[in-house]
């Protein structure tokens, strides 16, 4: 049986299928083998017994009720899962295990192990995600430093580790003899124009080498390893199937190329892609446990927890990770998933802490502690930073989406390697002369968050010192020195560069996160504002706004706090996170005292950004790529009815249906050949159009093919019936095929007068694939998730055909 949309080979070997998907402007091919349980393992293991008496003893019938056929109930690629059916299957499985547990000790042990398997899976995900995050952190730190020099004591040491055993003084800790820049190694000296040019050249060469290696690995082995991954994970968690997106090849290549991309100095971060890496770990480990391997809804609960573990290791924020998964990523998040997410995030953070990738007993490079409280009047500059974050977020989203759309619709998308080469070259050439863009973005944020102490040698801490006024470790607000003014100019230039280069970097064909670049933009703006307020308070401490709380010689302004608030504001403006963002930021700083400034900045940035455009960056990319994602946060306020959206429309051909007991195998195969629908309504007869149920295309194909192979007498003229009892037929007729077990007898139906507001709510809250429309019990039409999305797009004056997938 050869028909379009169905390939016989797909049920013989699940490892051989290659599928194509248009994603972000390039055709990508990938193996389907990694994302769903293969069907071929059980194909030859024996099938259900065929029962049925037959007519006059000559006709035999086949029913799959006893034991479902392998493959029945699974989904094609780029289809939406049926949440209701998956949850129902899991409840049936659980009831069966519970009832059997009373029969024997072995069944009781099986019941206990089934209940414990979820927690064991969370443990494994946490261990694997934490280990990979530690490996990525250590490798990226070493390779970033490799652009500037090499350690003679051992080339595998980064700059900091290389100088640990050196006897140099604290102020010269970065100039130890064991670490040599490329000019020292090649020319024998580090001073002079030629040495500078050589270091510049080596920096650009290493950056280009790393980025080209990353893009070639992505293009050649795992096209789905590019980008952040969060928009696709949101779509997958909503019930969409993208085979291979969370597979083993994607995991391996994303882990390797993430290190290369971060090390190349591009304006991107590893935090978003770490969520993708953790979800890959979760998906692969699901195959060890039958209840997660065979149930798509259960698997998505695991992926929600894995996303929490990913954020936990990205920011060293376990609680923030759980809230991020709940607020930003997950579509279905029951209380049980909340507990398991918490456990997975805990294990992942503990594993990363055990590895100690930064050698400072912290989970992130930019952990800081502030000692001075903030004053109520400082809320004014904090809210200003919130406004800046909202404006930057809205500007970035619009610009980046415009550029990505241009990439998808022009020839630019056909040259991903050239694009990465050009963006890296421009970034490296502009970055090297400025020390704040030359260093890794994580180190930059760490420097900006830093609260200046007596021993700090950074230019950001170069004030005119008056140690007579200092009390212990607390330094008073002081006049800015020449080094600080130089640093301010360099930071202003760095801000301009980061603002524009990030627009073109997010979306290129390498793993690229947005958290760190957004935080860097905000941290630079915050530090600039913090120093400005500090100098204003120093020179004008007698002004009314400062006189009550900031007297001369007091330490009252902390520029590092402004940097932190600015980072939160910009990240909130881009992603529209609020609760999880504030929790992540205070977990980073270890200070509950600064929650109010962070909350004020996060809410202000969200209000300002929402006033300009409602979508966050991830939702904007979901819409750009046409993924079938129904946003649960948006209200549907239009007065349309189900009959306005259902198909067939007035001038369309009639709805394709299957009758319950009068169609032959050949008739059904013809329908399958001539249409590409995912399923078909089953009616009593074409005349009555009374609805009986709904049957999936995939289930029909598998059942008919297996009946032809396994049951004698099944030919093209055999009657297929979905009723309990076989229809009366002449004695000479061939064997009949009973397929009642694959029929969904309780499909969701609405009447033609149901408001679309209710229909959209049903689709969102129950995760439906399709809904049948009836009038007085007669079938009128069908509404699919794609129809709902097209209708919403049409009402928003968008192109309804931008919804690419079924």
């Amino acid at each position: 049986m050869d028909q379009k949309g169905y390939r016989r080979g797909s049920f013989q070997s699940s490892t051989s299928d290659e599928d194509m998907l248009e994603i972000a402007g390039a055709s990508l091919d990938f193996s389907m083998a990694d994302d769903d349980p293969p069907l071929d393992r059980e194909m030859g293991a024996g099938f259900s017994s065929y029962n049925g008496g037959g007519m006059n003893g000559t006709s035999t019938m086949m029913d799959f009720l006893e034991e479902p056929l392998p493959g029945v109930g699974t989904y094609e690629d780029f289809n939406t899962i049926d949440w209701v059916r998956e949850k129902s299957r899991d409840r049936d499985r659980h009831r069966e295990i519970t009832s059997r547990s009373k029969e024997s000790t072995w069944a009781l042990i099986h019941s206990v192990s089934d209940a414990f398997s979820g927690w064991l899976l969370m443990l494994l995900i946490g261990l694997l995600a934490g280990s990979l995050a530690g490996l990525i952190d250590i490798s990226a730190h070493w390779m970033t430093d490799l652009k500037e020099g090499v350690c003679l004591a051992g080339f595998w040491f980064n700059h900091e580790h290389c100088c640990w055993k050196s006897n140099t003084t604290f102020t010269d800790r970065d100039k130890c003899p064991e670490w040599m820049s490329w000019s020292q190694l090649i020319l024998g000296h580090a001073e002079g124009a030629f040495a500078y040019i050589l270091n510049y050249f080596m920096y650009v060469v290493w950056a280009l080498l790393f980025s080209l290696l990353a893009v070639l690995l992505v293009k050649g082995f795992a096209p789905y390893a590019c980008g952040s991954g969060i928009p696709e994970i949101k779509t997958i968690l909503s019930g969409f199937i993208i085979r291979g997106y969370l597979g083993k090849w994607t995991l391996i290549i994303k882990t390797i190329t993430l290190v290369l991309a971060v090390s190349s100095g591009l304006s991107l971060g590893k935090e978003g892609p770490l969520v993708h890496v953790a979800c890959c770990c979760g998906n692969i480990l699901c195959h060890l446990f039958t209840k997660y391997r065979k149930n798509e809804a259960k698997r998505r609960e695991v992926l929600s927890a894995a996303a929490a573990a990913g954020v936990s290791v990205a920011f060293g924020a376990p609680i923030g990770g759980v809230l991020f998964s709940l607020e930003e990523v997950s579509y279905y998040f029951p209380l049980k998933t909340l507990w398991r997410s918490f456990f997975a995030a805990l294990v992942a953070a503990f594993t990363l802490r055990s590895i100690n990738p930064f050698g400072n007993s912290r989970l992130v490079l930019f952990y800081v502690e502030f000692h001075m409280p903030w004053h109520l009047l400082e809320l004014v500059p904090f809210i200003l930073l919130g406004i800046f974050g909202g404006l930057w977020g809205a500007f970035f989203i619009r610009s980046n989406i415009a550029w990505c759309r241009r990439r998808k619709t022009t020839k630019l998308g056909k040259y991903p390697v050239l694009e990465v080469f050009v963006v890296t070259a421009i970034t490296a050439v502009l970055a090297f002369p400025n020390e704040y863009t030359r260093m890794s973005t994580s180190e930059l944020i760490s420097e900006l968050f830093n609260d200046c102490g007596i021993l700090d040698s950074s230019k950001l801490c170069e004030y005119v010192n008056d140690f007579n006024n200092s009390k212990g470790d607390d330094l008073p607000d002081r006049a800015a020195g020449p080094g600080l003014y130089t640093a301010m100019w360099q930071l202003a230039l760095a801000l301009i560069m980061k603002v524009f280069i990030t627009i073109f970097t997010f979306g290129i064909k390498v793993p690229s996160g947005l958290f760190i670049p957004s935080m860097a933009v905000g941290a630079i703006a915050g530090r600039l504002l913090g120093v400005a307020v500090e100098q204003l308070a120093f020179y004008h401490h007698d002004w009314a706004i400062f006189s009550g709380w900031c007297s001369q010689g007091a330490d009252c302004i902390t520029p590092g706090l402004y940097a932190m608030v600015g980072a939160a504001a910009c990240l909130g403006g881009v992603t529209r996170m609020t609760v999880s963002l504030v929790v992540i930021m205070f977990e980073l700083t270890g200070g509950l005292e600064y929650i109010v400034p962070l909350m004020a900045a996060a809410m202000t940035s969200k209000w300002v950004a929402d006033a300009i455009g409602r979508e966050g960056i991830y939702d904007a990319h979901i819409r750009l790529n046409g993924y079938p994602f129904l946003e649960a946060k948006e209200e549907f306020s239009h007065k349309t009815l189900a009959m306005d959206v259902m198909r067939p429309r007035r001038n369309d051909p009639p709805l394709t249906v299957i009758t319950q007991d009068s169609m032959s195998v050949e008739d059904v195969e013809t329908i399958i050949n001539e249409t590409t629908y995912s399923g078909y309504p089953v009616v009593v007869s074409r005349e009555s159009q009374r609805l009986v149920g709904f049957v999936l295309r995939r289930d029909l194909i598998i059942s008919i093919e297996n009946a032809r192979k396994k049951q004698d007498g099944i030919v093209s003229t055999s009657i297929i019936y979905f009723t309990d009892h076989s229809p009366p037929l002449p004695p000479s007729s061939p064997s009949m095929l009973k397929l009642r077990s694959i029929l969904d007898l309780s499909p969701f139906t609405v009447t033609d007068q149901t408001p679309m507001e209710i229909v959209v709510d049903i689709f969102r809250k129950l995760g439906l694939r399709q809904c049948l429309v009836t009038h007085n019990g007669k079938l009128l039409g069908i509404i699919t998730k794609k129809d709902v999305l097209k209708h919403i797009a049409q009402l928003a004056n968008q192109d309804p055909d931008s919804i690419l997938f079924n």
Side-chain angles (χ1 to χ4, degrees), residues 39-61:
L39 306 175
D40 59 319
R41 289 179 189 168
E42 302 164 33
M43 286 300 284
F47 297 95
S48 53
S49 57
Y50 310 133
N51 52 52
M55 300 298 293
N56 300 328
T58 60
S59 169
T60 56
M61 292 166 291

Side-chain angles (χ1 to χ4, degrees), residues 389-517:
L391 292 172
W392 144 251
F395 166 73
F396 174 81
I397 291 167
R398 289 199 174 184
S399 306
N400 180 252
I401 292 298
W403 179 251
C404 289
R405 185 174 285 114
R406 184 176 179 82
R407 183 189 290 124
K408 283 172 75 74
T409 55
T410 63
K411 289 184 178 181
L412 182 68
K414 296 178 181 176
Y415 305 103
V417 178
L418 180 64
E419 186 187 9
V420 170
F421 181 87
V422 171
V423 171
T424 309
I426 293 170
T427 305
V429 168
L430 293 177
F432 187 83
N434 187 339
E435 65 177 282
Y436 293 110
T437 49
R438 189 190 317 161
M439 64 174 69
S440 76
T441 317
S442 293
E443 287 177 12
L444 171 62
I445 294 171
S446 177
E447 184 112 336
L448 295 167
F449 281 10
N450 185 38
D451 187 15
C452 289
I454 295 171
L455 294 174
D456 276 308
S457 56
S458 165
K459 278 201 290 190
L460 286 172
C461 296
E462 198 170 307
Y463 292 90
V464 177
N465 286 313
D466 182 6
F467 291 112
N468 295 325
N469 290 333
S470 63
K471 300 170 185 174
D473 288 337
D474 291 334
L475 291 172
D477 288 345
R478 299 156 287 166
L484 183 57
Y485 284 117
T486 306
M488 291 299 101
W489 278 110
Q490 288 179 321
L491 282 177
L493 292 172
L495 178 63
I496 295 167
M497 179 193 158
K498 292 278 183 191
V499 162
F500 289 103
I501 205 75
T502 308
I503 291 167
F504 301 100
T505 305
F506 188 68
I508 61 174
K509 300 297 178 222
V510 294
S512 54
L514 195 56
F515 284 26
I516 288 294

Side-chain angles (χ1 to χ4, degrees), residues 109-127:
I109 293 169
H110 179 246
S111 173
V112 172
S113 69
D114 181 77
F116 180 69
S117 62
W119 295 101
L120 178 60
L121 180 55
M122 293 304 121
L123 177 71
L124 295 174
I125 289 170
L127 290 170

Side-chain angles (χ1 to χ4, degrees), residues 379-395 522 525 529 565-566 568-570 572-574 597-612:
L379 274 179
V380 175
F382 293 154
I383 288 170
L384 286 175
L385 285 172
I387 293 169
F388 171 78
L391 292 172
W392 144 251
F395 166 73
L529 182 63
V565 171
C570 282
V574 171
L598 289 169
M599 288 173 73
M603 277 314 305
T604 307
S605 72
K606 181 172 170 57
W607 286 334
V608 170
D610 280 349
I612 299 170

